[in-house]
Amino acid sequence: MPRPSKLIPALLLGLLPGLLASGAAFGQGKPPPSNMPGFSQGFPPLPTSKPPPLPAGPQAGMVPPGPQAGMVPPGPQAGMVPGKPGAPPAAGTGRMVSSGTGFVVAPGRALTNAHVVERCRAVRVRLADGTDATARVLRADRQRDLALIEVPRNAGPALSFRREMNIRRGEGVVTYGFPLAGMLSSGPTLTTGEVSALAGLADDQRQFQISAPVQPGNSGGPLLDLAGHVVGVIVSKLNAARVAQRTGDIPQNVNFAVKGNEAVDFLRDAGITPILADGPARTAAEVGEIAHPSTLFMRCMG
């Protein structure tokens, strides 16, 4: 009979597939991974925000019928077809089916999670000044869960990445994004916390564990240090309800971000030279002011 010490790791590994917060846990499942180039199977599904139906209006996630409805004329700026990054969108309903966050990393280029834009018939972004625009997926990496997006060149200044990614446990971090669109504030939300662990779920070395609260819709947003430099990309949270069902205990503040060095490598592979910088510590409010003009509300149109 196996020894108890050997049974515990095996039991934990058996629990892992259900531990990440997924669309099903929020009643908002995303389609399974696509066959897009750069995507691979096996990475757990991750949540984006799918708000309840709201009356039509600029804050409802619904764009009035017409040229701004998310269904733009075919052309190189038209959005994305599943399996064909950069191609015109297929016919759809012209309404938002999920949302997430992105941030500017170079003139006309933004970064988000791959799962935020996966299988969207078109992708729309709202800039900090309220302008609504069409975006185009240029490159996606499902293993890292990162995507490079073409956005208007006036989308905002590029955020800088921390020059030395020597992140330590206990370092203060700030998130900035658009959680639970249609339910919470229509504007961006800032949360604070710390780096809890230097690896993600199942010891994933591509991610950090953080205590800063995140919700569906934060996916793809920047994780910043207290100098205002990007050190990660928000990606997922632990599914507290499923963990409680299986263990009898409710986990608290267990969330994850893709490490900044993974994002920098992804951008360099895509031909983007990210800005690297260092600087003095600031208040969380000052960090939010740095992030605000460069953080984008992203909508997946169906």
Side-chain angles (χ1 to χ4, degrees):
M1 179 177 178
R3 295 170 57 188
S5 60
K6 295 183 178 180
L7 287 175
I8 293 174
L11 176 60
L12 290 176
L13 289 174
L15 295 177
L16 291 180
L19 295 187
L20 278 180
S22 66
F26 293 96
Q28 52 187 31
K30 290 283 287 184
S34 73
N35 296 320
M36 289 175 58
F39 279 48
S40 66
Q41 304 293 329
F43 199 81
L46 302 169
T48 53
S49 178
K50 185 175 181 182
L54 295 173
Q59 301 302 324
M62 301 283 295
V63 184
Q68 301 301 317
M71 303 308 301
V72 295
Q77 302 299 317
M80 167 185 167
V81 168
K84 297 181 180 179
T93 64
R95 61 184 294 173
M96 184 175 78
V97 295
S98 64
S99 69
T101 304
F103 60 97
V104 180
V105 293
R109 299 291 184 267
L111 189 64
T112 189
N113 288 147
H115 76 264
V116 169
V117 295
E118 185 179 3
R119 293 198 170 227
C120 303
R121 294 185 180 274
V123 178
R124 305 288 293 178
V125 296
R126 189 180 72 208
L127 313 186
D129 64 3
T131 302
D132 189 72
T134 301
R136 185 164 69 104
V137 180
L138 300 175
R139 186 184 182 98
D141 184 331
R142 182 64 179 170
Q143 290 186 330
R144 287 182 171 123
D145 202 355
L146 296 172
L148 180 66
I149 310 296
E150 182 178 39
V151 295
R153 293 185 68 85
N154 66 342
L159 289 179
S160 60
F161 286 77
R162 180 158 153 173
R163 187 183 306 278
E164 299 293 334
M165 292 291 179
N166 51 347
I167 312 300
R168 299 176 298 169
R169 299 174 189 85
E171 278 201 42
V173 287
V174 174
T175 77
Y176 205 76
F178 297 89
L180 298 173
M183 297 177 65
L184 302 181
S185 168
S186 61
T189 297
L190 179 152
T191 65
T192 61
E194 292 80 35
V195 173
S196 306
L198 302 182
L201 192 67
D203 206 31
D204 187 344
Q205 297 299 312
R206 294 169 296 190
Q207 297 184 7
F208 294 123
Q209 179 183 323
I210 60 172
S211 64
V214 301
Q215 310 296 336
N218 276 119
S219 296
L223 179 72
L224 305 113
D225 65 12
L226 293 182
H229 305 311
V230 178
V231 294
V233 182
I234 301 302
V235 67
S236 64
K237 63 183 295 183
L238 200 65
N239 189 323
R242 291 187 180 178
V243 173
Q245 284 179 340
R246 300 187 184 204
T247 68
D249 187 40
I250 300 176
Q252 298 181 21
N253 301 330
V254 182
N255 307 306
F256 302 98
V258 179
K259 290 181 177 178
N261 60 295
E262 294 286 340
V264 167
D265 290 346
F266 170 75
L267 292 174
R268 287 173 173 163
D269 289 346
I272 303 295
T273 302
I275 300 172
L276 305 180
D278 45 37
R282 307 170 186 267
T283 66
E286 290 171 330
V287 173
E289 291 171 352
I290 293 171
H292 181 79
S294 307
T295 304
L296 311 173
F297 175 53
M298 306 197 65
R299 290 174 291 156
C300 177
M301 311 301 288

